[in-house]
Amino acid sequence: VRTLYQLKPDDALSPAGGLVLAIDGLLYGTTKFGQAGQVDGAGSIFKIAEAGTGFQIIHRFAPVTASNQDGSPVNTNGAYPEAELVEGADGYLYGTTRAGGPNGTGTIFRISRDGTDFKSLYSFAAVTSAAGSGLTVTADGAAPTGPFVAGTDNFLYGTTSLGGTNGRGTVYRIAFDGTGFQVLHHFSATTADTTTGLLENADGATPLGGLVDGGDGNFYGVTAQGGTEGNGVIFAMPADGSTFTVLHSFTGADGARPVAELMVASSGKLYGVTSTGGVNSAGTATTLGTIFSIDR
């Protein structure tokens, strides 16, 4: 293990997403917050060589100026990026912020690799649910936390962990130029189990990870909550959103609360992890998590 670079107080704080290796051979990433002691800092985008040289902040998100009714920060172009960036075929880097924008519900952005051409492509809609309701209801989603997947149709596909008509998240797509935004699926309303308190529904809720392209015309993803047992689901849907299929509802014994995107193996199977749940060798329930595979 070799430390390539130690972030300094004047750089920025808390990189939460992974890195992307761009076509220029440099690594690009984000930090969730601004500089140390900067109370209105909203995050940054940086680049660094694989050898650890040439660290540079190429963009700082605009200062936070207010908050919305849910206490989420408001600014002009997004705040708190938590997912890794994706490089488009056009050479731009694309990403999301979990909060910020004019409504405090997050944004979608693109930036050139030298940082000179930053553009906010989309700001998620305002919250329509009542303050203190425990729900963040919007027309199109809120709080995207997972990375994009770039489709072969020149659309970016992503998820929001909150928002939508039921406040339980959405699946959406947007063209590389920021046009054609479309919600493909609103996750349904949930009810709390009277015994466990877990949030249950038919199709899952709170997708925290991004999607994966199965190469078979479908995108695959997971939700951290919902499903028939309240432990999350694995789902599939085509690029046009015409159908939505739950492939598996986690029971707890086989895992619970998957929060990261799936991967497609050379065998065609989907592989993933759950952040909690599982059983030990004696069959006793644990909270240690699982590693799983499933046929598409």
Side-chain angles (χ1 to χ4, degrees), residues 16-245:
L19 298 169
V20 59
L21 179 62
I23 195 172
D24 59 5
L26 298 177
L27 299 166
Y28 291 82
T30 61
T31 68
K32 185 176 178 179
F33 302 117
Q35 296 165 301
Q38 183 185 15
V39 296
D40 59 355
S44 73
I45 304 170
F46 64 85
K47 66 179 179 180
I48 189 171
E50 289 185 80
T53 57
F55 178 90
Q56 181 184 355
I57 300 288
I58 63 172
H59 181 76
R60 294 188 188 276
F61 289 92
V64 172
T65 57
S67 59
N68 67 12
Q69 66 187 55
D70 291 341
S72 182
V74 171
N75 68 357
T76 57
N77 63 1
Y80 305 166
E82 293 190 13
E84 52 263 35
L85 302 168
V86 170
E87 186 175 24
D90 54 6
Y92 280 93
L93 301 172
Y94 292 84
T96 60
T97 64
R98 182 170 186 163
N103 299 308
T105 48
T107 66
I108 301 168
F109 64 85
R110 77 174 187 190
I111 188 170
S112 56
R113 293 192 302 271
D114 63 3
T116 58
D117 188 10
F118 177 93
K119 183 179 181 181
S120 183
L121 299 179
Y122 190 80
S123 294
F124 288 94
V127 178
T128 57
S129 48
S133 66
L135 284 175
T136 299
V137 175
T138 69
D140 53 4
T145 59
F148 282 124
V149 59
T152 57
D153 55 1
N154 292 321
F155 276 85
L156 297 162
Y157 290 79
T159 61
T160 66
S161 61
L162 302 174
T165 54
N166 300 299
R168 297 306 181 189
T170 64
V171 181
Y172 67 89
R173 70 178 180 181
I174 187 171
F176 282 11
D177 62 2
T179 62
F181 179 92
Q182 180 184 3
V183 176
L184 301 176
H185 183 74
H186 292 265
F187 289 93
S188 62
T190 59
T191 56
D193 184 277
T194 56
T195 302
T196 64
L198 296 175
L199 300 177
E200 299 174 349
N201 65 0
D203 58 347
T206 319
L208 295 173
L211 304 171
V212 63
D213 188 347
D216 57 359
N218 286 313
F219 291 95
Y220 296 86
V222 295
T223 68
Q225 296 179 299
T228 55
E229 304 293 331
N231 293 306
V233 307
I234 305 169
F235 65 85
M237 64 183 305
D240 62 3
S242 57
T243 59
F244 183 95
T245 305

